[in-house]
Amino acid sequence: MALKHKTPMLDELEKGPWPSFVTDIKRVAERKPMAEDLLGLLEMSYEHKEGHWKHGGIVGVFGYGGGVIGRYCDRPDLFPNVAHFHTMRVNQPASKFYTTEVLRKLCDIWEEKGSGLTNMHGSTGDIILLGTTTDQLEPIFYELTHDLGMDLGGSGSNMRTPSCCVGKARCEWSCIDTQDITYDITMRYQDELHRPMFPYKFKFKTSGCPNDCVAAIARADCSIIGTWRDKIRIDQEAVRAYVGGELVPNGGAHGTEKRALDIQKEVIDLCPTKCMEWDGKNLKIWDEDCTRCMHCINVMPRALRPGLDTGATILVGAKAPILEGAQLGSVVIPFIKMEPPYEEFHEFVEKMWDWWMEEGKNRERLGETIQRLGMKAFLEATELQPDPRMVNTPRYNPYIFYDPAEVPGGWSHDPKAYRERHHA
Amino acid sequence: MALKHKTPMLDELEKGPWPSFVTDIKRVAERKPMAEDLLGLLEMSYEHKEGHWKHGGIVGVFGYGGGVIGRYCDRPDLFPNVAHFHTMRVNQPASKFYTTEVLRKLCDIWEEKGSGLTNMHGSTGDIILLGTTTDQLEPIFYELTHDLGMDLGGSGSNMRTPSCCVGKARCEWSCIDTQDITYDITMRYQDELHRPMFPYKFKFKTSGCPNDCVAAIARADCSIIGTWRDKIRIDQEAVRAYVGGELVPNGGAHGTEKRALDIQKEVIDLCPTKCMEWDGKNLKIWDEDCTRCMHCINVMPRALRPGLDTGATILVGAKAPILEGAQLGSVVIPFIKMEPPYEEFHEFVEKMWDWWMEEGKNRERLGETIQRLGMKAFLEATELQPDPRMVNTPRYNPYIFYDPAEVPGGWSHDPKAYRERHHA
Amino acid sequence: MPFDPNDIMKDRITDIGPPKYDKFFPPVIKENYGKWKYHEILEPGVLVHVSETGAEVYTVRVGAARLLSVDLIREICDIADKHCGGYVRWTTRNNIEFMVDDKSKLQPLIDELKSRGNWFPIGGTGASVTNIVHTQGWIHCHTPAIDASGIVKAVMDELFDYFGSHKLPAQVRISLACCLNMCGAVHCSDIAILGVHRKPPFIEHERVQNVCEIPLVIAACPTAAIKPKKVGDYKSIEINEKRCMFCGNCYTMCPALPIADGDGDGIALWVGGKVSNSRTAPKFSKLAVHYIPNEPPRWPTTVQTIKKILEVYASDARRYERVGEWIDRIGWERFFEKTGLEFRHEHIDDYRLAMTTWRTTTQFKF
Amino acid sequence: MPFDPNDIMKDRITDIGPPKYDKFFPPVIKENYGKWKYHEILEPGVLVHVSETGAEVYTVRVGAARLLSVDLIREICDIADKHCGGYVRWTTRNNIEFMVDDKSKLQPLIDELKSRGNWFPIGGTGASVTNIVHTQGWIHCHTPAIDASGIVKAVMDELFDYFGSHKLPAQVRISLACCLNMCGAVHCSDIAILGVHRKPPFIEHERVQNVCEIPLVIAACPTAAIKPKKVGDYKSIEINEKRCMFCGNCYTMCPALPIADGDGDGIALWVGGKVSNSRTAPKFSKLAVHYIPNEPPRWPTTVQTIKKILEVYASDARRYERVGEWIDRIGWERFFEKTGLEFRHEHIDDYRLAMTTWRTTTQFKF
Ligand code: SRM
Ligand code: SRM
Ligand code: SRM
Ligand code: SRM
Ligand code: SF4
Ligand code: SF4
Ligand code: SF4
Ligand code: SF4
Ligand code: SF4
Ligand code: SF4
Ligand code: SF4
Ligand code: SF4
């Protein structure tokens, strides 16, 4: 069936070896006018080199302040079927395992009530249902909750859908239950997720180890990253097997052929703290100097494993550039045992939010509030003790805000006595 | 002879192995009331834990806007002989060699007309004559210029007394004539030195090599640091002599006993760019990767020497913390041949000053003006081309001020055409 | 009971959150949760994880356009039903993972995937270019300077060879964001593709007071370029264009300030970021190319520039060295020299922390 | 012609600058200018430089209080006349250098220096603690929070052993500045002693308008804590004390804002800075101890704390490792642990570039 709009430019994107989203949309377009008009609108964007969507209005499901991104096209005259084209963010199950049963049901709902197009997944982690009309929002929500046991994710100034790496489900290095932590946060803070009451968005991301496969440190207001505080477990036999060429280095990530590992060059020399030694027979790690960067473990997964006294490092404040510039997460809790019922963590989160809600300005991310008011204010509000692990270096400017409580007489002088000592 | 004031606290500073400034002042105090009252005033400062000097008024010699720091004591009732206690900054000869003849003359002048106390030298480099009265300023100046061929140094918002390391006078590593450059700047810019016309102070410092023995990179608005752009000269014989223990490593800086140099550990591994290799016989340096840090040369001064195609790197903007925080110098000219008559350098300096005088706010150091207006403005004003050597990293924020000249249509839109394409 | 449009509160369920994760775990995952001992990549895109119990799980990772139709998802389900007991997962970078619990099931799965045209390219593991994290672009958002899906497709086509192989010195993570909001979190990527505007917004004075909250617009500007201004009878704003760095944040707050411009907009490329704490600390990506015009439908200049950077890196870096680690070793002067990219004023930072990026040492290479 | 106080313009000479440097070069220096080939430290404080011509110059470096009386300078001249042909120099760190052009002249010079009590301690070369660069303190300046010469004397007395020996892992450069203006350029020192105020200035409202330029005072405050304010009939200012970080810059502009306070003022210690480009780039010094009270006349807590830091460094660092390089290797967590110093809120930066100092990686040591 020929489609309504000519799409010569988009057609170019049907070529080449990578799966083509154009070809994929086209097959839906044959039966769904929404997808058909989307193609037309997109072709026009390619011609103009400008997008054709207007700002979204406030649309959503009753009682929720987020989860739906309203979107209207600026040429409904030409593309009436995408005049409304709202997306719904559906909260993904932690680490994104699915049964085909639930996926098929989701497809059925979306075939019927939406564009038939999705993003699997959005950058935050949600299942993105791309494009529907306002009147379909409630029915879809009803079916999601009733038939699939699924709920919407976050948008607006609320807690955003937390996400995590695959963790213990299929990774040998996970030091924490990333899924369970994500589920716990999501469930405990449903209200915060659905009803915007923060100064701005707030994101949690959880990785099982410092490899950080969910990029938590770069894009979560609160990053939970698994770590350990005892010793790396060593199987010396296996170390020798790597050196002897019996095991493939780095689990095959650099080629699956067997080859002798040059342990000095590939491991010892790349250890950031130089805390390892290889005497030709045994590998020695000075664990007290190890900063748990994972490199040696990554290279010799069958010989080295994280320790057993596991927990997490908590960092806060990561974000994209708007307004004050991008930030990476900063360590505020070097180590916390992350075990159910996660009470200590909840207390921390709630103190953090109370402070941010009290002090944060409109559209100010947590990291920016901390920048503006200082780390001290944050640590005091969350009752954390300052620790050198929180900084790369102590301050190098002398602009110290001394605490008047520690100064004899506080901030006050005795001007009269001063002028008796010092004549003007 | 007993001194007028009791100084029990200062007396404590006559003990101990380091030369005592108290003992030194005391011997002058026996014949000079100014030094005697200085001791009394200082003892009172020790009691109060507060200094006893007031702000200086504008005092100086006729026609000069700097060179004298006015100072008045805040208890002239108790210490009348230091009621006035101005210092004079005398421009030191570059790298601070003296004949005893000139020093003795200086002492005679200062014995007669001042406190008899000096600082050899002030942090900027001047000879500091510590403490005299207003009426002595002109006579001292007269004698300095007539009898010693000496002149005052800088203070206030002018060019400050330039200074430099010992350089070619007694160092084998100097890549430039530090004294001559310092002398040239000082003489060429006498007007700028004596007559404040800048937004704030401006300092030049010149080191012969990247060891930077005059700390130019930390405290000069314009730092001139010698370097080379060809190859490190190697005497392989001497390298072997170090390894063989025939020569003392690091010129004896770590102990003067002969010992075999562990060239791998002490040199190769510490080379920041890892551009050296030692095969047991010969040392190979990949000079194209060398960043001329000096370490290997420092450790093996008899084997390695800087190259022969020498010149300087120019950095700008170093300063102490007030107002915007301390800055180190930033590279703006990676390499310049610094040979008499230094025309290229003069042109650079004059363009830099013109720009700073035009744009700089009152009490804004050059580095702060650059911070405020951007490096681009500085480079354009000084007609320098951007170079990756000017940065540790290119920008990581996306806040790029694109040049409208490069944008089709500049900064203007065609709102009508836009709204034809995009309906509101 | 079906949905009743006249009584949306009837039987309403809210705040149930997502299904509990383990509901969807395949049995081998559930049984070996937390017991995995080691893994190995058998060939690009194919992993085995071995449990302390002796159990094994084989994973086949396939690339996907992140934009998936229900048809394609159903096709994925067909495959998962046939080979994987009805389970499938997505990775954090939008690849699809099919898992089987026995080696004998692996080859049939791979054959099946390969039989379906180019929908299911196998790869994305180890020292490869895996899928490009990206954003909406012209498919859905209102602020983009560029498309997302089309550029990703064009780049992945060109780098396809690196997706299904392990020939690079290390992982290369490419991301794309269509505006400075950086939803693709491109700020810490080995190679980042960023949509940029280059003209200050124009102001529709007659609309501003009706459609915008002026104080919010003013507060939205990172460089304080916006001031309130009366224009004729309208309460409006003015923009100090010299202070504008084209972030579009004011447009997000106010539709009467359009910023997009077909000829002005385009792409900036950034390099050397990373997220992992492996060896070196996480790093931001730094500006490599200040501007490349939008060239739909296949953005050839962008694609070729990325390829050039990637290939110089591939030939010059040492094993394990991420792009940023490689550049740190060779120095930015060499990066620009080797890639032939031009170093310009735009590369020298002039925002808040600018002075921390300037070279404050005489150490550099000629 | 002598000076005529009634006609200061008579025969006036101005703008002649300093004497040309080479006027004061000893012959061996002049003849071998630019020809030096190598040097060696023969013993602490004693250097030989060898020229390509075969000539040699022997240097004996001696420590000095920077504050020198004319008597002491004359004594120096006596020595220089007797042994060094009437030449002498000062180093960039205020040590005195006596030079002789023949080995035979060396021992007599050394003997002479040693014969003069403790006025001329020999040392300051190589891996030593050389002279402390410092400032005026209570001897001359109006803004100091501490004395300079007295503290330097007390510290050098205690570290005297390290001045005349090469037992440290590397050079240790100690500097002192008596206020935040940092005339001692302490901001890049291995160990920096900094005078700090801890009370905001008090305001003498009745004096402000007479002795100060209010706009300049306001502009002088780095944290914009100062505003104009009318107090009674006086034009004056007010200070938001919460924003004050006690820099004293306003006092420099306005004597009616005294900031010194005997009980509030004291010392902060900073560590790990360096200036040379050797091995690692120049670095700023970082806060080690936020406050130690002023304890004249010998500042025992300051002295002992510095000694402690120095000795922990001496026992833990590797050869060539400057203090900052050592800390970079072991990490700040270990620095605080090993020195037993307390890590406090004050150590965490909260000024303009604060975020660039926070730890944005999971890499740290327990
Ligand atoms: C859909 C999604 C992009 C995608 O295609 O995946 C998205 C889309 C939008 N983002 Fe985002 N962001 C999305 C993940 C992100 C991320 C990545 C993440 O969460 O890990 C970031 C960077 C991390 C961060 O939060 O800082 C991100 C940083 C932003 C920002 C800048 C925030 C900042 O503080 O710098 C904005 C601007 C704003 O909030 O006004 C923004 C704003 C937007 C808006 C709502 C546009 C706007 O200004 O109103 C976009 C709506 C697009 C649309 O029409 O659907 N989006 N946004 C992602 C959410 C899908 C999901 O729920 O899974
Ligand atoms: C005498 C000297 C200290 C010393 O004992 O050696 C000195 C003394 C003063 N300095 Fe300084 N500075 C001296 C070298 C420095 C240096 C070091 C250098 O030049 O290498 C610096 C740091 C480098 C720099 O310039 O940034 C320095 C940074 C300051 C500052 C802060 C400037 C800044 O931009 O952060 C001030 C404050 C000001 O200018 O108001 C200052 C101001 C002052 C004043 C004039 C006090 C004032 O605020 O008016 C001091 C007068 C003291 C007096 O009564 O004699 N002094 N001052 C040094 C000059 C001697 C000479 O000419 O040789
Ligand atoms: C499946 C996935 C987690 C998930 O929950 O979905 C995953 C899975 C694994 N990662 Fe990862 N990583 C995944 C995203 C990431 C990310 C996040 C990202 O790219 O956005 C990172 C941080 C990237 C960065 O630094 O910019 C990441 C950094 C690593 C590293 C550290 C690499 C390095 O040296 O910097 C390792 C260790 C290694 O590969 O040696 C690693 C190792 C692994 C291992 C070997 C862990 C294990 O033992 O199972 C897994 C297979 C690796 C492989 O594919 O070669 N994983 N990994 C993600 C796959 C994404 C994809 O489809 O391509
Ligand atoms: C005499 C003097 C120059 C002058 O014009 O007066 C000088 C002279 C020499 N310096 Fe220096 N330096 C002098 C101040 C400096 C400074 C400036 C400072 O401390 O304020 C520095 C920068 C310090 C810093 O980084 O904080 C300095 C950093 C060096 C270095 C690099 C050390 C390092 O590894 O970081 C060397 C190389 C070495 O020692 O191996 C060096 C080497 C040398 C040599 C060996 C050069 C030579 O071949 O003659 C000279 C004798 C060294 C010695 O004393 O052990 N000189 N040297 C200065 C003596 C100061 C003093 O009285 O103690
Ligand atoms: S972050 Fe660590 S635990 Fe999680 S998947 Fe990656 S390597 Fe495994
Ligand atoms: S985890 Fe990293 S820091 Fe620790 S021993 Fe291994 S390579 Fe070294
Ligand atoms: S800076 Fe270089 S040239 Fe100058 S004295 Fe020091 S080592 Fe010699
Ligand atoms: S000067 Fe420095 S960078 Fe160059 S070879 Fe020597 S140690 Fe390496
Ligand atoms: S990056 Fe910008 S344009 Fe792209 S989806 Fe996010 S907000 Fe929209
Ligand atoms: S585009 Fe950004 S910088 Fe420009 S005016 Fe708008 S908010 Fe300000
Ligand atoms: S540091 Fe401060 S108190 Fe000391 S001399 Fe300099 S300006 Fe004066
Ligand atoms: S002391 Fe400094 S911070 Fe405090 S008010 Fe004065 S200028 Fe401002």
Side-chain angles (χ1 to χ4, degrees), chain B residues 61-323:
Chain B
V61 302
F62 183 83
Y64 279 17
V68 179
I69 306 291
R71 193 62 76 210
Y72 303 91
C73 134
D74 67 12
R75 296 307 299 274
D77 51 333
L78 303 177
F79 307 101
N81 298 305
V82 291
H84 296 208
F85 198 69
H86 313 317
T87 58
M88 299 186 78
R89 296 182 175 172
V90 179
N91 197 331
Q92 85 290 0
S95 76
K96 300 169 185 163
F97 283 84
Y98 296 94
T99 56
T100 52
E101 190 198 340
V102 75
L103 286 176
R104 288 187 197 276
K105 281 194 195 162
L106 197 65
C107 290
D108 292 345
I109 297 176
W110 198 237
E111 170 95 43
E112 193 195 320
K113 302 196 161 64
S115 68
L117 303 174
T118 73
N119 286 149
M120 296 293 277
H121 294 75
S123 292
T124 308
D126 291 291
I127 301 167
I128 306 274
L129 302 178
L130 261 182
T132 189
T133 51
T134 311
D135 56 338
Q136 295 298 340
L137 297 174
E138 288 292 350
I140 294 169
F141 179 68
Y142 187 93
E143 293 188 17
L144 281 176
T145 47
H146 285 76
D147 302 349
L148 272 67
M150 283 188 161
D151 199 347
L152 294 187
S155 71
S157 291
N158 55 10
M159 181 177 92
R160 295 303 181 85
T161 308
S163 73
C164 63
C165 76
V166 69
K168 288 187 178 173
R170 205 202 52 207
C171 179
E172 66 268 34
W173 295 324
S174 198
C175 298
I176 48 177
D177 285 298
T178 57
Q179 288 91 357
D180 198 55
I181 292 165
T182 302
Y183 187 68
D184 174 76
I185 295 169
T186 314
M187 296 311 285
R188 186 176 173 93
Y189 301 118
Q190 278 290 300
D191 202 34
E192 285 77 1
L193 196 158
H194 295 305
R195 291 163 201 94
M197 49 187 159
F198 291 150
Y200 203 2
K201 61 187 83 167
F202 194 98
K203 297 181 180 173
F204 285 98
K205 288 190 165 64
T206 306
S207 277
C209 82
N211 282 330
D212 196 2
C213 295
V214 78
I217 206 167
R219 53 195 190 115
D221 300 272
C222 181
S223 325
I224 301 156
I225 301 184
T227 195
W228 65 96
R229 56 182 175 185
D230 51 348
K231 290 169 184 293
I232 290 176
R233 287 175 284 166
I234 311 184
D235 174 345
Q236 298 288 358
E237 203 63 57
V239 176
R240 287 187 283 271
Y242 278 109
V243 175
E246 295 154 44
L247 293 172
V248 183
N250 209 156
H254 292 268
T256 49
E257 320 73 45
K258 284 194 181 148
R259 62 175 181 84
L261 175 75
D262 182 341
I263 192 168
Q264 185 64 39
K265 217 171 122 189
E266 298 185 49
V267 182
I268 316 266
D269 288 351
L270 294 179
C271 167
T273 57
K274 305 281 175 288
C275 67
M276 313 178 89
E277 227 175 76
W278 167 247
D279 64 8
K281 279 217 169 120
N282 282 289
L283 180 69
K284 163 90 191 122
I285 300 181
W286 278 268
D287 289 272
E288 63 278 19
D289 285 334
C290 165
T291 53
R292 303 168 314 287
C293 82
M294 293 294 299
H295 177 71
C296 59
I297 300 175
N298 291 342
V299 175
M300 301 190 285
R302 292 178 71 163
L304 304 182
R305 305 175 73 182
L308 291 167
D309 183 11
T310 55
T313 298
I314 309 294
L315 306 94
V316 300
K319 57 175 292 291
I322 308 297
L323 296 174

Side-chain angles (χ1 to χ4, degrees), chain A residues 243-279:
Chain A
V243 175
E246 295 153 46
L247 293 171
V248 183
N250 208 158
H254 293 268
T256 50
E257 321 72 47
K258 286 195 179 144
R259 61 174 181 85
L261 175 76
D262 182 342
I263 194 169
Q264 184 64 39
K265 218 172 120 187
E266 298 186 48
V267 182
I268 317 266
D269 288 351
L270 294 179
C271 167
T273 58
K274 305 278 175 289
C275 66
M276 314 178 88
E277 226 175 77
W278 168 247
D279 64 7

